[in-house]
Amino acid sequence: MSAPNPPANPTPAHSRENPEPHEEQNFPSLLLLFLCSVLIFGSALYFQRYSGTFSPLVYNEEVQGSGVAAGTATAVVDPVVMGKRLFVQNCVTCHEVTGLGKPGIYPPLAGSEWVNGNEEAIVRILIHGLGGPVVVNGATFNGAMPSFGPLGSNWKDEKIAYVLTYVRQEWGNKAPPVTAETVARIRASIVARGKAWTAEELAEYHSATK
Ligand code: HEC
């Protein structure tokens, strides 16, 4: 037995090794890294700007100001500003931004004797709604005004007071503000009611101050 012969033509050691590692400019992955950084940085900026310190109070529509001190701030709420916001969100579909309504369909609030008259009537209208024929600025309407109280959107006293205060001083209307206390008092007196008002039922209040 002789020792096995070495391979006839051995591969030289250096050419059997892997190539030396060398730095390679890998453009696609560099670009990806860069984009990720930008995204993360951008998200951080976004949260910094819009998170509102993650305080739930920031989204409380009754809190004004920066929101950082929202829980403690004794922010003064401007009923007209609040009322306008509520009006734009909830009333313009029918009564229009101009307060003019739609002829024959939705009555105007601008110049309306109801809006400018005794608050006892319009507070009731907002709480339970209004149905049946009603005369506004000399024109008769016969539609259905939705309830913003227990039969509808269930607004609390403040919101009803804000929106009425707003409509009573906009478009040339000149009636005094409505307070949440007034809404609370009237609401307490009609808790048992389960349907919309008619203009006829409200006539006693309506005629009281116009
Ligand atoms: C879906 C349409 C609709 C929406 C929304 C609506 N209303 Fe009305 N509103 C009416 C109609 C219709 C009447 C008249 C009802 C009738 O014919 O008996 C009316 C009547 C009124 C009246 C008494 C009549 C007058 O023109 O002065 C007031 C005040 C009033 N709405 C205020 C508001 C306010 C404030 C809001 C928002 C919080 C609001 N309405 C939202 C349809 C609407």
Side-chain angles (χ1 to χ4, degrees):
M1 289 286 265
S2 61
N5 288 333
N9 191 9
T11 321
H14 69 267
S15 60
R16 263 184 275 126
E17 284 177 7
N18 289 329
E20 284 290 315
H22 63 281
E23 281 210 7
E24 196 179 310
Q25 291 285 29
N26 197 339
F27 280 111
S29 59
L30 268 186
L31 191 67
L32 205 63
L33 191 68
F34 176 72
L35 287 178
C36 284
S37 317
V38 170
L39 196 70
I40 291 169
F41 185 69
S43 313
L45 275 186
Y46 183 88
F47 274 114
Q48 158 94 6
R49 172 78 182 76
Y50 297 111
S51 68
T53 68
F54 294 101
S55 160
L57 288 172
V58 171
Y59 300 103
N60 182 339
E61 62 198 359
E62 277 155 33
V63 176
Q64 299 207 321
S66 71
V68 175
T72 51
T74 49
V76 182
V77 173
D78 183 341
V80 173
V81 173
M82 291 303 302
K84 179 169 191 173
R85 199 182 297 171
L86 291 167
F87 183 81
V88 168
Q89 288 166 354
N90 300 281
C91 320
V92 296
T93 39
C94 300
H95 295 290
E96 302 287 325
V97 192
T98 55
L100 294 174
K102 285 202 182 79
I105 307 173
Y106 301 121
L109 304 181
S112 155
E113 60 267 47
W114 292 88
V115 172
N116 290 282
N118 190 335
E119 62 189 4
E120 297 285 328
I122 50 170
V123 169
R124 282 170 170 78
I125 291 175
L126 265 283
I127 292 177
H128 286 119
L130 181 71
V134 58
V135 179
V136 185
N137 292 353
T140 303
F141 296 84
N142 194 347
M145 157 81 189
S147 153
F148 285 83
L151 310 179
S153 318
N154 225 347
W155 283 9
K156 40 189 181 164
D157 303 330
E158 286 80 10
K159 285 173 85 170
I160 291 178
Y162 294 152
V163 84
L164 288 178
T165 296
Y166 168 71
V167 300
R168 272 158 77 91
Q169 58 80 65
E170 184 66 312
W171 316 294
N173 291 344
K174 285 195 174 52
V178 174
T179 64
E181 288 71 34
T182 301
V183 179
R185 171 180 55 75
I186 296 174
R187 192 198 286 265
S189 73
I190 52 177
V191 276
R193 192 176 176 93
K195 57 180 183 177
W197 299 92
T198 63
E200 208 183 340
E201 285 177 295
L202 297 176
E204 54 169 315
Y205 306 112
H206 182 39
S207 51
T209 49
K210 185 69 191 181

